[in-house]
Amino acid sequence: MDRRTMIGTLATGVAGAALTGKLDAMETSKAGPVGDPLADYAPRPFEFGSGLPGLSKDLLLEHLSLYKGYVTRSNALLKDLLVAEREGKAGAMVQELRRRLGFEFSGMRIHEWYFEGLSATPGKPTENHPLHKQIAATWGTWDAWWAAFKATCTMPGIGWAALVRDPTTGRLMNAWFQDHENAIPVGTHPILVVDVWEHAYVKDFGAAGRGKYVDAVKPLIDWKAVEHRF
Ligand SMILES: [Fe+2]
């Protein structure tokens, strides 16, 4: 299974990371179930230093703390679920563990895609990169796509805006991920994701400031990471 296939099962991520100086957009948590099915996932070491231009350090540190909570809860859920299954349990409590796992695990992974796509020194879009040619072919112009993507970011609701690619046809779509795990076009690959839960912006921009937050995120998007996902 190649890396694109590996990440495609769910869907996407912007923002960023290259704050650590190294970038691997497809990198997933180092620890995982390979070998030991009860092994924990480790929180990815995103280091935002003094913050990102336009986003405060307090906001980013709080957001990273929330991300680590998803990792912790995913590890606990995965253990509880597997132990229950090994014991042959299959009742309502086990079923609810599975339902909750979709929320917690997706919350962990999609935050990783978001953080690794943001950078204080982001890569600029590469001229003539196939992604940008396809964006222009799909929406007419890059600006028209961004307008539609920003409109996705500012939709009422709790969730994520995502630019995704259907691997069966190569089609690009702007999608809305409700919470972390709902309304995802199944099987699409994440190209870019932006967290638009209120915790991602209220501290800096206020409850009515989602649009200003998206404007602040726009210049932080690391197109090197985004293009790598295409
Ligand atoms: Fe978040």
Side-chain angles (χ1 to χ4, degrees):
M1 178 182 295
D2 61 24
R3 303 173 82 188
R4 172 175 283 179
T5 303
M6 189 165 61
I7 63 163
T9 317
L10 283 177
T12 320
V14 167
L19 304 170
T20 57
K22 90 177 184 169
L23 175 66
D24 185 342
M26 296 297 105
E27 188 174 5
T28 55
S29 298
K30 296 300 184 186
V34 176
D36 177 5
L38 290 173
D40 282 344
Y41 288 88
R44 293 269 301 276
F46 301 109
E47 298 173 9
F48 291 100
S50 58
L52 292 167
L55 299 178
S56 71
K57 181 178 180 180
D58 286 349
L59 175 83
L60 292 167
L61 290 178
E62 184 174 272
H63 207 165
L64 284 171
S65 177
L66 292 172
Y67 154 65
K68 290 176 183 175
Y70 284 102
V71 179
T72 299
R73 293 190 299 274
S74 291
N75 287 330
L77 268 171
L78 284 162
K79 278 193 177 70
D80 290 347
L81 179 58
L82 185 54
V83 167
E85 289 177 339
R86 285 175 171 178
E87 293 173 350
K89 296 176 181 174
M93 291 183 65
V94 175
Q95 293 166 20
E96 289 308 309
L97 285 177
R98 276 190 204 104
R99 219 183 299 274
R100 187 70 183 177
L101 181 61
F103 177 83
E104 301 291 0
F105 186 92
S106 301
M108 172 182 73
R109 184 54 39 79
I110 199 168
H111 276 95
E112 292 167 352
W113 293 336
Y114 171 66
F115 291 136
E116 73 184 8
L118 297 179
S119 174
T121 55
K124 301 300 181 187
T126 305
E127 190 175 356
N128 295 324
H129 190 281
L131 170 61
H132 307 297
K133 291 182 177 178
Q134 189 166 334
I135 285 174
T138 303
W139 283 277
T141 64
W142 196 93
D143 288 343
W145 162 71
W146 176 258
F149 187 77
K150 182 177 178 181
T152 308
C153 290
T154 53
M155 284 172 46
I158 297 169
W160 298 74
L163 173 65
V164 303
R165 177 181 178 274
D166 177 7
T168 66
T169 63
R171 181 187 295 261
L172 292 173
M173 298 169 258
N174 288 323
W176 172 260
F177 298 175
Q178 187 72 25
D179 298 326
H180 308 304
E181 77 283 25
N182 298 309
I184 296 173
V186 171
T188 57
H189 294 163
I191 304 295
L192 169 69
V193 295
V194 175
D195 190 344
V196 295
W197 281 58
E198 290 186 346
H199 65 250
Y201 61 89
V202 166
K203 185 182 285 289
D204 285 1
F205 301 97
R210 197 192 292 185
K212 292 180 180 176
Y213 156 71
V214 177
D215 290 340
V217 163
K218 183 180 179 183
L220 303 176
I221 295 172
D222 188 346
W223 286 97
K224 180 180 178 182
V226 176
E227 291 169 357
H228 185 61
R229 293 176 178 136
F230 179 69

